[in-house]
PDB file of all heavy atoms in Angstrom:
ATOM      1  N   LEU L  26       9.542  18.491   3.845  1.00 99.00           N
ATOM      2  CA  LEU L  26       9.954  19.736   4.487  1.00 99.00           C
ATOM      3  C   LEU L  26      11.119  20.346   3.709  1.00 99.00           C
ATOM      4  O   LEU L  26      12.171  19.719   3.576  1.00 99.00           O
ATOM      5  CB  LEU L  26      10.379  19.474   5.929  1.00 99.00           C
ATOM      6  CG  LEU L  26       9.302  18.900   6.858  1.00 99.00           C
ATOM      7  CD1 LEU L  26       9.931  18.373   8.138  1.00 99.00           C
ATOM      8  CD2 LEU L  26       8.238  19.939   7.163  1.00 99.00           C
ATOM      9  N   SER L  27      10.938  21.566   3.226  1.00 98.00           N
ATOM     10  CA  SER L  27      11.937  22.212   2.381  1.00 98.00           C
ATOM     11  C   SER L  27      12.800  23.164   3.201  1.00 98.00           C
ATOM     12  O   SER L  27      12.363  24.261   3.563  1.00 98.00           O
ATOM     13  CB  SER L  27      11.257  22.989   1.245  1.00 98.00           C
ATOM     14  OG  SER L  27      12.209  23.764   0.551  1.00 98.00           O
ATOM     15  N   CYS L  28      14.053  22.765   3.450  1.00 98.00           N
ATOM     16  CA  CYS L  28      14.986  23.645   4.154  1.00 98.00           C
ATOM     17  C   CYS L  28      15.465  24.791   3.267  1.00 98.00           C
ATOM     18  O   CYS L  28      16.091  25.723   3.775  1.00 98.00           O
ATOM     19  CB  CYS L  28      16.193  22.848   4.643  1.00 98.00           C
ATOM     20  SG  CYS L  28      15.861  21.831   6.096  1.00 98.00           S
ATOM     21  N   GLU L  29      15.181  24.732   1.963  1.00 98.00           N
ATOM     22  CA  GLU L  29      15.552  25.834   1.088  1.00 98.00           C
ATOM     23  C   GLU L  29      14.571  27.000   1.203  1.00 98.00           C
ATOM     24  O   GLU L  29      14.926  28.139   0.921  1.00 98.00           O
ATOM     25  CB  GLU L  29      15.581  25.404  -0.385  1.00 98.00           C
ATOM     26  CG  GLU L  29      16.511  24.249  -0.689  1.00 98.00           C
ATOM     27  CD  GLU L  29      15.761  22.927  -0.742  1.00 98.00           C
ATOM     28  OE1 GLU L  29      15.045  22.612   0.227  1.00 98.00           O
ATOM     29  OE2 GLU L  29      15.874  22.231  -1.762  1.00 98.00           O
ATOM     30  N   GLN L  30      13.342  26.721   1.593  1.00 98.00           N
ATOM     31  CA  GLN L  30      12.275  27.731   1.531  1.00 98.00           C
ATOM     32  C   GLN L  30      11.789  28.197   2.894  1.00 98.00           C
ATOM     33  O   GLN L  30      11.208  29.286   2.992  1.00 98.00           O
ATOM     34  CB  GLN L  30      11.091  27.191   0.722  1.00 98.00           C
ATOM     35  CG  GLN L  30      10.052  28.237   0.350  1.00 98.00           C
ATOM     36  CD  GLN L  30       8.918  27.669  -0.501  1.00 98.00           C
ATOM     37  OE1 GLN L  30       9.048  26.612  -1.092  1.00 98.00           O
ATOM     38  NE2 GLN L  30       7.815  28.392  -0.550  1.00 98.00           N
ATOM     39  N   TYR L  31      12.038  27.424   3.942  1.00 98.00           N
ATOM     40  CA  TYR L  31      11.461  27.761   5.240  1.00 98.00           C
ATOM     41  C   TYR L  31      12.500  27.680   6.349  1.00 98.00           C
ATOM     42  O   TYR L  31      13.435  26.871   6.298  1.00 98.00           O
ATOM     43  CB  TYR L  31      10.293  26.825   5.551  1.00 98.00           C
ATOM     44  CG  TYR L  31       9.183  26.948   4.538  1.00 98.00           C
ATOM     45  CD1 TYR L  31       9.009  25.985   3.545  1.00 98.00           C
ATOM     46  CD2 TYR L  31       8.330  28.045   4.545  1.00 98.00           C
ATOM     47  CE1 TYR L  31       8.015  26.109   2.594  1.00 98.00           C
ATOM     48  CE2 TYR L  31       7.335  28.176   3.599  1.00 98.00           C
ATOM     49  CZ  TYR L  31       7.174  27.212   2.619  1.00 98.00           C
ATOM     50  OH  TYR L  31       6.193  27.345   1.678  1.00 98.00           O
ATOM     51  N   GLY L  32      12.305  28.518   7.363  1.00 98.00           N
ATOM     52  CA  GLY L  32      13.171  28.500   8.524  1.00 98.00           C
ATOM     53  C   GLY L  32      12.819  27.364   9.466  1.00 98.00           C
ATOM     54  O   GLY L  32      11.797  26.684   9.310  1.00 98.00           O
ATOM     55  N   PRO L  33      13.643  27.154  10.495  1.00 98.00           N
ATOM     56  CA  PRO L  33      13.452  25.978  11.355  1.00 98.00           C
ATOM     57  C   PRO L  33      12.125  25.948  12.093  1.00 98.00           C
ATOM     58  O   PRO L  33      11.499  24.890  12.201  1.00 98.00           O
ATOM     59  CB  PRO L  33      14.641  26.059  12.324  1.00 98.00           C
ATOM     60  CG  PRO L  33      15.140  27.465  12.235  1.00 98.00           C
ATOM     61  CD  PRO L  33      14.851  27.919  10.850  1.00 98.00           C
ATOM     62  N   LYS L  34      11.655  27.070  12.591  1.00 98.00           N
ATOM     63  CA  LYS L  34      10.389  27.063  13.327  1.00 98.00           C
ATOM     64  C   LYS L  34       9.211  26.811  12.395  1.00 98.00           C
ATOM     65  O   LYS L  34       8.247  26.128  12.767  1.00 98.00           O
ATOM     66  CB  LYS L  34      10.219  28.380  14.084  1.00 98.00           C
ATOM     67  CG  LYS L  34      11.224  28.535  15.222  1.00 98.00           C
ATOM     68  CD  LYS L  34      10.956  29.774  16.052  1.00 98.00           C
ATOM     69  CE  LYS L  34      11.949  29.867  17.204  1.00 98.00           C
ATOM     70  NZ  LYS L  34      11.712  31.065  18.058  1.00 98.00           N
ATOM     71  N   GLU L  35       9.283  27.366  11.175  1.00 98.00           N
ATOM     72  CA  GLU L  35       8.230  27.110  10.198  1.00 98.00           C
ATOM     73  C   GLU L  35       8.186  25.626   9.828  1.00 98.00           C
ATOM     74  O   GLU L  35       7.108  25.041   9.680  1.00 98.00           O
ATOM     75  CB  GLU L  35       8.468  27.941   8.939  1.00 98.00           C
ATOM     76  CG  GLU L  35       8.340  29.443   9.138  1.00 98.00           C
ATOM     77  CD  GLU L  35       8.794  30.196   7.908  1.00 98.00           C
ATOM     78  OE1 GLU L  35       9.989  30.127   7.579  1.00 98.00           O
ATOM     79  OE2 GLU L  35       7.956  30.866   7.276  1.00 98.00           O
ATOM     80  N   LEU L  36       9.353  25.013   9.691  1.00 98.00           N
ATOM     81  CA  LEU L  36       9.408  23.591   9.333  1.00 98.00           C
ATOM     82  C   LEU L  36       8.780  22.722  10.424  1.00 98.00           C
ATOM     83  O   LEU L  36       8.063  21.761  10.127  1.00 98.00           O
ATOM     84  CB  LEU L  36      10.852  23.166   9.076  1.00 98.00           C
ATOM     85  CG  LEU L  36      11.522  23.803   7.856  1.00 98.00           C
ATOM     86  CD1 LEU L  36      13.019  23.496   7.855  1.00 98.00           C
ATOM     87  CD2 LEU L  36      10.880  23.307   6.564  1.00 98.00           C
ATOM     88  N   ILE L  37       9.039  23.058  11.668  1.00 98.00           N
ATOM     89  CA  ILE L  37       8.450  22.288  12.766  1.00 98.00           C
ATOM     90  C   ILE L  37       6.930  22.452  12.763  1.00 98.00           C
ATOM     91  O   ILE L  37       6.182  21.473  12.933  1.00 98.00           O
ATOM     92  CB  ILE L  37       9.035  22.726  14.121  1.00 98.00           C
ATOM     93  CG1 ILE L  37      10.552  22.514  14.140  1.00 98.00           C
ATOM     94  CG2 ILE L  37       8.376  21.943  15.257  1.00 98.00           C
ATOM     95  CD1 ILE L  37      11.017  21.116  13.805  1.00 98.00           C
ATOM     96  N   ALA L  38       6.456  23.660  12.540  1.00 98.00           N
ATOM     97  CA  ALA L  38       5.010  23.891  12.499  1.00 98.00           C
ATOM     98  C   ALA L  38       4.366  23.112  11.362  1.00 98.00           C
ATOM     99  O   ALA L  38       3.275  22.542  11.518  1.00 98.00           O
ATOM    100  CB  ALA L  38       4.724  25.394  12.346  1.00 98.00           C
ATOM    101  N   GLN L  39       5.033  23.069  10.206  1.00 98.00           N
ATOM    102  CA  GLN L  39       4.506  22.295   9.089  1.00 98.00           C
ATOM    103  C   GLN L  39       4.470  20.802   9.413  1.00 98.00           C
ATOM    104  O   GLN L  39       3.513  20.099   9.061  1.00 98.00           O
ATOM    105  CB  GLN L  39       5.350  22.535   7.838  1.00 98.00           C
ATOM    106  CG  GLN L  39       5.211  23.919   7.242  1.00 98.00           C
ATOM    107  CD  GLN L  39       6.191  24.165   6.117  1.00 98.00           C
ATOM    108  OE1 GLN L  39       6.632  23.242   5.439  1.00 98.00           O
ATOM    109  NE2 GLN L  39       6.559  25.425   5.917  1.00 98.00           N
ATOM    110  N   ALA L  40       5.502  20.313  10.071  1.00 98.00           N
ATOM    111  CA  ALA L  40       5.544  18.890  10.425  1.00 98.00           C
ATOM    112  C   ALA L  40       4.408  18.523  11.368  1.00 98.00           C
ATOM    113  O   ALA L  40       3.764  17.477  11.218  1.00 98.00           O
ATOM    114  CB  ALA L  40       6.895  18.550  11.058  1.00 98.00           C
ATOM    115  N   VAL L  41       4.148  19.381  12.349  1.00 98.00           N
ATOM    116  CA  VAL L  41       3.049  19.133  13.280  1.00 98.00           C
ATOM    117  C   VAL L  41       1.719  19.121  12.537  1.00 98.00           C
ATOM    118  O   VAL L  41       0.858  18.240  12.746  1.00 98.00           O
ATOM    119  CB  VAL L  41       3.050  20.198  14.397  1.00 98.00           C
ATOM    120  CG1 VAL L  41       1.785  20.102  15.244  1.00 98.00           C
ATOM    121  CG2 VAL L  41       4.291  20.048  15.279  1.00 98.00           C
ATOM    122  N   ILE L  53      13.034  15.540   4.615  1.00 99.00           N
ATOM    123  CA  ILE L  53      13.570  16.878   4.864  1.00 99.00           C
ATOM    124  C   ILE L  53      14.840  17.048   4.043  1.00 99.00           C
ATOM    125  O   ILE L  53      15.726  16.184   4.042  1.00 99.00           O
ATOM    126  CB  ILE L  53      13.829  17.118   6.366  1.00 99.00           C
ATOM    127  CG1 ILE L  53      14.279  18.559   6.607  1.00 99.00           C
ATOM    128  CG2 ILE L  53      14.812  16.117   6.958  1.00 99.00           C
ATOM    129  CD1 ILE L  53      14.234  18.992   8.058  1.00 99.00           C
ATOM    130  N   SER L  54      14.911  18.169   3.325  1.00 98.00           N
ATOM    131  CA  SER L  54      16.070  18.419   2.465  1.00 98.00           C
ATOM    132  C   SER L  54      17.253  18.899   3.295  1.00 98.00           C
ATOM    133  O   SER L  54      17.098  19.392   4.416  1.00 98.00           O
ATOM    134  CB  SER L  54      15.721  19.448   1.379  1.00 98.00           C
ATOM    135  OG  SER L  54      15.238  20.643   1.953  1.00 98.00           O
ATOM    136  N   GLY L  65      15.294  31.538  -0.131  1.00 98.00           N
ATOM    137  CA  GLY L  65      15.737  32.369   0.969  1.00 98.00           C
ATOM    138  C   GLY L  65      16.045  31.746   2.314  1.00 98.00           C
ATOM    139  O   GLY L  65      16.179  32.467   3.296  1.00 98.00           O
ATOM    140  N   GLN L  66      16.178  30.432   2.427  1.00 98.00           N
ATOM    141  CA  GLN L  66      16.483  29.810   3.715  1.00 98.00           C
ATOM    142  C   GLN L  66      17.507  28.687   3.528  1.00 98.00           C
ATOM    143  O   GLN L  66      17.752  28.223   2.416  1.00 98.00           O
ATOM    144  CB  GLN L  66      15.227  29.235   4.360  1.00 98.00           C
ATOM    145  CG  GLN L  66      14.209  30.271   4.800  1.00 98.00           C
ATOM    146  CD  GLN L  66      14.628  31.058   6.013  1.00 98.00           C
ATOM    147  OE1 GLN L  66      15.513  30.636   6.772  1.00 98.00           O
ATOM    148  NE2 GLN L  66      14.003  32.202   6.218  1.00 98.00           N
ATOM    149  N   SER L  67      18.111  28.254   4.628  1.00 98.00           N
ATOM    150  CA  SER L  67      18.947  27.049   4.619  1.00 98.00           C
ATOM    151  C   SER L  67      19.339  26.668   6.046  1.00 98.00           C
ATOM    152  O   SER L  67      20.512  26.657   6.388  1.00 98.00           O
ATOM    153  CB  SER L  67      20.216  27.236   3.760  1.00 98.00           C
ATOM    154  OG  SER L  67      21.007  28.310   4.264  1.00 98.00           O
ATOM    155  N   PRO L  68      18.368  26.354   6.898  1.00 98.00           N
ATOM    156  CA  PRO L  68      18.704  25.937   8.262  1.00 98.00           C
ATOM    157  C   PRO L  68      19.477  24.616   8.266  1.00 98.00           C
ATOM    158  O   PRO L  68      19.339  23.802   7.359  1.00 98.00           O
ATOM    159  CB  PRO L  68      17.343  25.778   8.932  1.00 98.00           C
ATOM    160  CG  PRO L  68      16.394  25.524   7.811  1.00 98.00           C
ATOM    161  CD  PRO L  68      16.923  26.313   6.653  1.00 98.00           C
ATOM    162  N   PHE L  69      20.287  24.423   9.298  1.00 98.00           N
ATOM    163  CA  PHE L  69      21.104  23.209   9.427  1.00 98.00           C
ATOM    164  C   PHE L  69      20.189  22.030   9.732  1.00 98.00           C
ATOM    165  O   PHE L  69      19.519  21.991  10.774  1.00 98.00           O
ATOM    166  CB  PHE L  69      22.131  23.405  10.538  1.00 98.00           C
ATOM    167  CG  PHE L  69      23.171  22.318  10.612  1.00 98.00           C
ATOM    168  CD1 PHE L  69      23.915  21.962   9.504  1.00 98.00           C
ATOM    169  CD2 PHE L  69      23.403  21.658  11.803  1.00 98.00           C
ATOM    170  CE1 PHE L  69      24.886  20.969   9.581  1.00 98.00           C
ATOM    171  CE2 PHE L  69      24.364  20.662  11.894  1.00 98.00           C
ATOM    172  CZ  PHE L  69      25.108  20.322  10.776  1.00 98.00           C
ATOM    173  N   VAL L  70      20.163  21.071   8.831  1.00 98.00           N
ATOM    174  CA  VAL L  70      19.144  20.025   8.886  1.00 98.00           C
ATOM    175  C   VAL L  70      19.203  19.214  10.171  1.00 98.00           C
ATOM    176  O   VAL L  70      18.165  18.810  10.710  1.00 98.00           O
ATOM    177  CB  VAL L  70      19.252  19.109   7.648  1.00 98.00           C
ATOM    178  CG1 VAL L  70      20.523  18.261   7.678  1.00 98.00           C
ATOM    179  CG2 VAL L  70      18.021  18.218   7.521  1.00 98.00           C
ATOM    180  N   TRP L  71      20.390  18.978  10.721  1.00 98.00           N
ATOM    181  CA  TRP L  71      20.499  18.108  11.890  1.00 98.00           C
ATOM    182  C   TRP L  71      19.913  18.779  13.130  1.00 98.00           C
ATOM    183  O   TRP L  71      19.371  18.101  14.007  1.00 98.00           O
ATOM    184  CB  TRP L  71      21.953  17.698  12.100  1.00 98.00           C
ATOM    185  CG  TRP L  71      22.462  16.975  10.893  1.00 98.00           C
ATOM    186  CD1 TRP L  71      23.308  17.469   9.938  1.00 98.00           C
ATOM    187  CD2 TRP L  71      22.100  15.667  10.463  1.00 98.00           C
ATOM    188  NE1 TRP L  71      23.502  16.538   8.942  1.00 98.00           N
ATOM    189  CE2 TRP L  71      22.780  15.422   9.245  1.00 98.00           C
ATOM    190  CE3 TRP L  71      21.279  14.669  10.991  1.00 98.00           C
ATOM    191  CZ2 TRP L  71      22.651  14.220   8.547  1.00 98.00           C
ATOM    192  CZ3 TRP L  71      21.153  13.466  10.299  1.00 98.00           C
ATOM    193  CH2 TRP L  71      21.836  13.253   9.094  1.00 98.00           C
ATOM    194  N   SER L  72      19.982  20.095  13.205  1.00 98.00           N
ATOM    195  CA  SER L  72      19.312  20.802  14.293  1.00 98.00           C
ATOM    196  C   SER L  72      17.796  20.685  14.166  1.00 98.00           C
ATOM    197  O   SER L  72      17.084  20.489  15.163  1.00 98.00           O
ATOM    198  CB  SER L  72      19.721  22.284  14.282  1.00 98.00           C
ATOM    199  OG  SER L  72      21.107  22.437  14.455  1.00 98.00           O
ATOM    200  N   VAL L  73      17.305  20.819  12.940  1.00 98.00           N
ATOM    201  CA  VAL L  73      15.859  20.719  12.719  1.00 98.00           C
ATOM    202  C   VAL L  73      15.368  19.313  13.053  1.00 98.00           C
ATOM    203  O   VAL L  73      14.302  19.139  13.658  1.00 98.00           O
ATOM    204  CB  VAL L  73      15.501  21.099  11.269  1.00 98.00           C
ATOM    205  CG1 VAL L  73      13.992  21.001  11.051  1.00 98.00           C
ATOM    206  CG2 VAL L  73      15.980  22.511  10.948  1.00 98.00           C
ATOM    207  N   ILE L  74      16.139  18.289  12.680  1.00 98.00           N
ATOM    208  CA  ILE L  74      15.743  16.907  12.979  1.00 98.00           C
ATOM    209  C   ILE L  74      15.643  16.688  14.486  1.00 98.00           C
ATOM    210  O   ILE L  74      14.726  16.018  14.978  1.00 98.00           O
ATOM    211  CB  ILE L  74      16.722  15.912  12.329  1.00 98.00           C
ATOM    212  CG1 ILE L  74      16.526  15.908  10.806  1.00 98.00           C
ATOM    213  CG2 ILE L  74      16.527  14.501  12.888  1.00 98.00           C
ATOM    214  CD1 ILE L  74      17.573  15.112  10.051  1.00 98.00           C
ATOM    215  N   GLY L  75      16.572  17.274  15.245  1.00 98.00           N
ATOM    216  CA  GLY L  75      16.485  17.166  16.691  1.00 98.00           C
ATOM    217  C   GLY L  75      15.184  17.745  17.221  1.00 98.00           C
ATOM    218  O   GLY L  75      14.530  17.149  18.084  1.00 98.00           O
ATOM    219  N   ALA L  76      14.783  18.892  16.680  1.00 98.00           N
ATOM    220  CA  ALA L  76      13.519  19.496  17.099  1.00 98.00           C
ATOM    221  C   ALA L  76      12.329  18.654  16.650  1.00 98.00           C
ATOM    222  O   ALA L  76      11.345  18.509  17.391  1.00 98.00           O
ATOM    223  CB  ALA L  76      13.415  20.915  16.542  1.00 98.00           C
ATOM    224  N   LEU L  77      12.394  18.094  15.452  1.00 98.00           N
ATOM    225  CA  LEU L  77      11.313  17.236  14.968  1.00 98.00           C
ATOM    226  C   LEU L  77      11.091  16.041  15.887  1.00 98.00           C
ATOM    227  O   LEU L  77       9.949  15.620  16.106  1.00 98.00           O
ATOM    228  CB  LEU L  77      11.632  16.734  13.555  1.00 98.00           C
ATOM    229  CG  LEU L  77      11.522  17.734  12.403  1.00 98.00           C
ATOM    230  CD1 LEU L  77      12.070  17.115  11.123  1.00 98.00           C
ATOM    231  CD2 LEU L  77      10.076  18.177  12.213  1.00 98.00           C
ATOM    232  N   SER L  78      12.178  15.500  16.427  1.00 98.00           N
ATOM    233  CA  SER L  78      12.049  14.312  17.272  1.00 98.00           C
ATOM    234  C   SER L  78      11.229  14.589  18.527  1.00 98.00           C
ATOM    235  O   SER L  78      10.650  13.663  19.108  1.00 98.00           O
ATOM    236  CB  SER L  78      13.442  13.787  17.663  1.00 98.00           C
ATOM    237  OG  SER L  78      14.077  14.646  18.607  1.00 98.00           O
ATOM    238  N   ALA L  80       8.757  17.024  18.490  1.00 98.00           N
ATOM    239  CA  ALA L  80       7.495  17.651  18.095  1.00 98.00           C
ATOM    240  C   ALA L  80       6.507  16.686  17.455  1.00 98.00           C
ATOM    241  O   ALA L  80       5.293  16.903  17.538  1.00 98.00           O
ATOM    242  CB  ALA L  80       7.769  18.806  17.126  1.00 98.00           C
TER     243      ALA L  80
END
Side-chain angles (χ1 to χ4, degrees):
L26 299 166
S27 172
C28 284
E29 303 98 307
Q30 192 178 342
Y31 299 103
K34 292 186 178 181
E35 294 171 295
L36 294 170
I37 300 305
Q39 290 173 27
V41 171
I53 185 166
S54 56
Q66 293 288 341
S67 60
F69 190 53
V70 69
W71 301 105
S72 300
V73 180
I74 289 172
L77 287 172
S78 72

